[in-house]
Amino acid sequence: MMISINKMEGDFQTNNFISNQLKLASNPKSQKNFNVSIKSEYNKKIIAKDSAGLATDYKLQATINFNVSKNGINKKITLSESLDIKNEGENFEQTNYENSIKRNFAISIKEKLIPYLLSFDDN
């Protein structure tokens, strides 16, 4: 399948991770061509605080709305991932850990999207 991304809105980094994953899954020689628009939302919410009021736990959540079109047929799908993490402090390692989670979210969302695309004609 060939996946062309027409438009991306929302969280820049999440969009880039998903775009890269879809490019890896795409085959330019395929006869199945999909046009995809991506609208992402990424949230980091405090879910627990210590006695001093400092955040100790967060919920990371990515929600991606895809608008998929093929042969003039448009369909929408929303996929999301979330994970609760401990706050290790505002530092370089914490930022890298959160970026790694975003990458993993993108991989998981791609894995959920591909079967949907493959069954597109059946829906």
Side-chain angles (χ1 to χ4, degrees), residues 12-67:
F12 178 79
Q13 192 175 39
T14 300
N15 287 344
N16 281 339
F17 288 142
I18 290 174
S19 174
N20 288 338
Q21 286 300 311
L22 294 178
K23 286 177 186 173
L24 290 172
S26 191
N27 177 1
K29 296 179 183 177
S30 175
Q31 296 299 313
K32 283 190 170 195
N33 296 314
F34 296 92
N35 293 311
V36 177
S37 295
I38 300 169
K39 185 174 182 182
S40 66
E41 184 177 331
Y42 178 78
N43 291 304
K44 178 180 176 180
K45 296 179 185 175
I46 297 171
I47 57 174
K49 295 181 180 182
D50 63 14
S51 59
L54 299 174
T56 59
D57 296 72
Y58 293 104
K59 176 181 278 300
L60 305 180
Q61 183 172 14
T63 302
I64 316 301
N65 295 300
F66 294 98
N67 189 358

Side-chain angles (χ1 to χ4, degrees), residues 30-105:
S30 175
Q31 296 299 313
K32 283 190 170 195
N33 296 314
F34 296 92
N35 293 311
V36 177
S37 295
I38 300 169
K39 185 174 182 182
S40 66
E41 184 177 331
Y42 178 78
N43 291 304
K44 178 180 176 180
K45 296 179 185 175
I46 297 171
I47 57 174
K49 295 181 180 182
D50 63 14
S51 59
L54 299 174
T56 59
D57 296 72
Y58 293 104
K59 176 181 278 300
L60 305 180
Q61 183 172 14
T63 302
I64 316 301
N65 295 300
F66 294 98
N67 189 358
V68 180
S69 63
K70 179 183 176 212
N71 299 330
I73 300 170
N74 294 316
K75 296 193 180 180
K76 294 181 181 186
I77 183 171
T78 299
L79 300 170
S80 64
E81 288 291 329
S82 66
L83 182 67
D84 296 345
I85 64 167
K86 294 280 186 197
N87 182 13
E88 302 298 329
E90 295 299 323
N91 56 37
F92 183 72
E93 289 82 17
Q94 181 76 15
T95 301
N96 283 343
Y97 179 54
E98 290 178 27
N99 288 339
S100 175
I101 290 169
K102 278 187 175 183
R103 265 191 294 289
N104 290 336
F105 282 174

Side-chain angles (χ1 to χ4, degrees), residues 3-4 60 65 68 107 116:
I3 303 169
S4 299
L60 305 180
N65 295 300
V68 180
I107 292 167
Y116 175 81

